[in-house]
């Protein structure tokens, strides 16, 4: 597998939701038990990884490899609309937004419940 194909594949995995809740993810070898690496991230961070990877993959698919690697241009390609060979690539909307009526402690409880359920199910 070439380096360019491997880089594209990593972006494809991230954009498919590899680090989203309920996904297989990667087991943390330093932790006891079956703890997933991405469970330490908040739900907003997991969503941000996914949508940023989707946008970068779309830019990469239309010839923007120098901008994705940071060789040319600015770092706003993942957050602002851009045009690549006549194709408009706009960043995606967030799929998960923290509800304001829920308190911070309640969200942490829900994340802990989800993590416990994942470990019980062997995911």
């Amino acid at each position: 597998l070439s380096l360019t194909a491997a880089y594209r594949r990593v972006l494809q995995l991230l954009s498919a939701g590899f680090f989203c809740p309920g996904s297989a993810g990667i087991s943390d070898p330093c932790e006891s038990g079956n703890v997933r690496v991405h469970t330490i991230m908040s739900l907003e961070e997991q969503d941000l990884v996914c949508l940023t990877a989707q946008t970068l993959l779309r830019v990469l698919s239309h010839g923007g490899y120098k901008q994705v690697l940071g060789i040319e241009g600015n770092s706003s390609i993942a957050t602002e609309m851009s045009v690549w060979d006549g194709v408009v690539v706009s960043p995606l909307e967030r799929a998960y937004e923290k509800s304001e009526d829920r308190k911070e402690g309640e969200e942490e409880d829900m994340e802990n419940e989800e993590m416990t359920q994942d470990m019980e199910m062997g995911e």
Side-chain angles (χ1 to χ4, degrees):
L1 187 65
S2 69
L3 183 59
T4 56
Y7 188 76
R8 179 181 296 269
R9 185 64 185 143
V10 167
L11 283 178
Q12 289 172 341
L13 285 170
L14 292 174
S15 67
F18 193 62
F19 284 162
C20 288
S23 69
I26 300 171
S27 294
D28 189 349
C30 298
E31 294 290 330
S32 62
N34 196 10
V35 178
R36 303 291 182 216
V37 173
H38 68 279
T39 56
I40 196 153
M41 296 189 305
S42 70
L43 296 175
E44 293 94 353
E45 292 170 330
Q46 292 175 16
D47 183 44
L48 185 62
V49 167
C50 185
L51 70 92
T52 302
Q54 289 171 352
T55 303
L56 292 176
L57 186 60
R58 290 167 53 214
V59 169
L60 189 65
S61 296
H62 295 292
Y65 66 93
K66 288 183 181 179
Q67 285 76 13
V68 170
L69 294 175
I71 298 171
E72 287 182 0
N74 55 22
S75 62
S76 64
I77 60 171
T79 58
E80 295 179 1
M81 184 177 69
S82 56
V83 180
W84 305 95
D85 294 328
V87 177
V88 176
V89 175
S90 58
L92 300 172
E93 297 291 324
R94 292 179 181 262
Y96 178 84
E97 290 186 16
K98 187 176 181 179
S99 62
E100 294 181 22
D101 59 341
R102 194 183 310 167
K103 295 178 184 171
E104 184 71 29
E106 290 178 13
E107 180 180 318
E108 290 175 4
D109 290 341
M110 288 185 65
E111 287 179 13
N112 289 338
E113 285 178 23
E114 288 177 4
M115 190 169 46
T116 303
Q117 289 173 354
D118 287 347
M119 289 190 324
E120 288 174 356
M121 294 173 59
E123 293 182 358

